[in-house]
């Protein structure tokens, strides 16, 4: 069994969805197809949730009309008038789910309302995808991922109960595969014990695909994207970026940690645990080889891998009474960061100074600095970037640093990290 994951860009229009047919027909079966919401639907649903949570229900309902219109038009173009009319009741059930969640705005918690609304994007896209495949003669079963992926009730950032989800998933998918060779289900969504929907974090469909692979002992996962594969740097920032053929799980985890927006960071662990390879391929041209992410790769010389984390702040923290930075004080400072939900991306200390790189978030940062300032003198360098280069060479370093002010530098034989302005 293989898992294919299609992201929002690959199904942004009916024409784009139709282009995926040959990819699916060429795939080995059985195939579990994990799908995101269309294009920018999740962003649009987030706006509905925000309006509902702000108490502006009229605005939320008006925004919902746009979602209805765009999905109805999509269905019409994809399936024709008759197909659309047949499917309409199922689409309307989805719209009603959003309607109910809008009514909950202001009554239930914001994160709860968000999840009940935002999860519907994937329900809609998969309903259309499944119906389209059926109309092309590919018998398939549409399954609700919320019957399989069980989470706790931390809305918007839930923990998945892997064991229970595994049992549920196998109990549903394995019998279904006796009848059909294709399963269509949603990425990004799950469900609590109380039958409430949860979402797994933005771009979480990659993670869902990895979970299904883990639970079903799949042979491989393929994520279909609009790029040729993984690159050694963001091609928008570095025009000379090159595509990487093979890369290890660990290297990708490090890239994601340092800020590369390659793949949802939670995706790798389930795959690594069962040694399931992950392919990143281009849906625009199936013949391009793409990138394979796996446990070990044959003697392959990595190009320097460059990751730029933008929108950072460098904090300098010094105790007011010049006392040393000790294990105890570091641990207290770390706890203060955790309490303000600010993640530390880089740290360096000297006898009396602690320097920390964090992502800039005005409101949280201000509160944090207020608390820290009771016992410390805190200064900030704003508008900085954290640049990480793995497998660096001196030439690359010179190239990348040209014209930049280095505020802090950390070096190991393999990796260099520099805070620059
Ligand atoms: N549709 C969700 C998002 O846009 C999940 C995903 O695309 O992976 O974040
Ligand atoms: Mg997406």
């Amino acid at each position: 069994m293989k898992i294919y994951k299609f992201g929002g860009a690959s199904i942004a229009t009916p024409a784009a969805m139709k282009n995926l047919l040959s990819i699916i027909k060429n795939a080995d079966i059985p195939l579990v197809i994990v799908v995101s919401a269309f294009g920018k639907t999740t962003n649009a649903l987030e706006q509905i949730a925000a309006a509902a949570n702000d108490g502006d229900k009229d605005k939320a309902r008006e925004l919902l009309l746009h979602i209805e219109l765009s999905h109805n038009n999509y269905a019409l173009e994809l399936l024709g008038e008759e197909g659309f009319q047949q499917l309409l009741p199922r689409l309307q059930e989805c719209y009603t789910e959003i309607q109910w969640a809008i009514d909950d705005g202001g009554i239930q918690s914001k994160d709860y309302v968000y999840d009940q609304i935002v999860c519907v994007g994937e329900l809609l896209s998969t309903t259309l995808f499944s119906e389209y495949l059926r109309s092309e003669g590919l018998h398939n079963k549409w399954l609700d991922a919320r019957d399989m992926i069980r989470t706790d009730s931390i809305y918007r950032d839930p923990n998945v109960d892997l064991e229970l989800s595994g049992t549920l998933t196998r109990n549903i998918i394995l019998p279904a595969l006796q009848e059909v060779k294709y399963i269509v289900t949603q990425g990004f969504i799950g469900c609590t014990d109380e039958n409430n929907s949860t979402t797994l974090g933005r771009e979480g469909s990659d993670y869902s695909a990895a979970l299904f692979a883990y639970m079903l002992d799949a042979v491989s996962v393929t994520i279909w994207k609009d790029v040729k594969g993984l690159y050694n740097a963001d091609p928008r920032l570095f025009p000379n970026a090159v595509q990487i053929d093979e890369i290890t799980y660990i290297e990708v985890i490090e890239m994601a940690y340092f800020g590369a927006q390659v793949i949802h960071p939670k995706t790798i662990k389930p795959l690594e645990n069962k040694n399931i390879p992950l392919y990143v391929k281009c849906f625009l041209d199936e013949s391009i080889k793409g990138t394979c992410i796996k446990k070990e790769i044959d003697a392959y010389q990595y190009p320097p891998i460059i990751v730029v984390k933008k929108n950072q702040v460098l904090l300098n923290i010094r105790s007011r009474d010049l006392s040393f930075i000790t294990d105890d004080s570091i641990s207290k400072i770390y706890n203060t960061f955790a309490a303000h939900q600010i993640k530390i991306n880089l740290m360096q200390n000297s006898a009396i100074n602690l320097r920390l790189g964090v992502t800039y978030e005005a409101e949280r940062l201000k509160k944090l600095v207020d608390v820290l300032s009771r016992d410390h003198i805190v200064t900030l360098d704003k508008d900085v970037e954290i640049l990480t280069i793995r497998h660096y060479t001196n030439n690359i370093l010179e190239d990348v640093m040209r014209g930049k002010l280095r505020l802090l530098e950390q070096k190991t034989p393999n990796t260099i990290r520099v805070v620059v302005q």
Side-chain angles (χ1 to χ4, degrees), residues 205-325:
S205 296
D206 293 346
Y207 177 42
S208 302
L211 289 174
F212 282 114
Y214 177 95
M215 298 185 297
L216 295 163
D217 285 314
V219 176
S220 65
V221 175
T222 307
I223 295 181
W224 294 90
K225 292 173 87 82
D226 57 359
V227 290
K228 290 179 184 159
L230 296 193
Y231 283 75
N232 71 323
D234 185 340
R236 287 165 300 185
L237 302 176
F238 299 91
N240 295 335
V242 291
Q243 195 215 310
I244 299 169
D245 296 337
E246 290 188 330
I247 186 165
T248 61
Y249 297 123
I250 288 177
E251 197 71 33
V252 171
I253 288 178
E254 295 282 8
M255 282 173 79
Y257 173 78
F258 292 137
Q261 280 153 349
V262 278
I263 281 168
H264 190 281
K266 286 185 181 168
T267 309
I268 300 297
K269 185 173 178 286
L271 299 177
E272 195 275 342
N273 289 172
K274 288 215 174 167
N275 206 358
I276 300 170
L278 169 63
Y279 296 91
V280 178
K281 282 187 61 99
C282 181
F283 62 80
L284 300 168
D285 183 353
E286 198 186 343
S287 69
I288 298 172
K289 196 164 160 256
T291 300
C292 177
I293 303 161
K294 53 187 181 174
K295 190 161 255 159
E296 276 162 11
I297 62 172
D298 306 330
Y300 173 79
Q301 200 59 48
Y302 283 121
I305 295 177
I306 307 170
V307 182
V308 183
K309 211 170 171 82
K310 294 189 177 241
N311 192 32
Q312 302 293 299
V313 189
L314 185 63
L315 281 97
N316 194 54
I317 303 171
R318 170 189 292 199
S319 62
R320 285 193 183 277
D321 57 3
L322 277 201
S323 57
F324 286 141
I325 298 284

Side-chain angles (χ1 to χ4, degrees), residues 371-386:
V371 173
L372 289 174
S373 298
R374 284 176 207 150
D375 297 326
H376 305 85
I377 298 165
V378 183
T379 51
L380 270 72
D381 284 300
K382 288 188 183 165
D383 296 323
V384 303
E385 293 175 355
I386 302 177

Side-chain angles (χ1 to χ4, degrees), residues 5-8 35-43 46 114 118 121-122 187-188 201-207 264:
K5 180 254 165 171
F6 292 105
V35 185
S36 302
F38 295 148
K40 300 278 172 238
T41 302
T42 304
N43 295 355
E46 281 189 336
Y114 175 101
V118 170
E122 270 69 12
F188 181 54
R202 288 305 305 268
E203 304 303 324
S205 296
D206 293 346
Y207 177 42
H264 190 281

Side-chain angles (χ1 to χ4, degrees), residues 50-68:
N53 280 327
D54 285 349
D56 195 347
K57 296 194 179 172
D58 288 339
K59 182 174 167 198
R61 287 190 197 102
E62 196 191 312
L63 292 170
L64 171 56
L65 288 180
H66 292 288
I67 294 277
E68 295 186 15

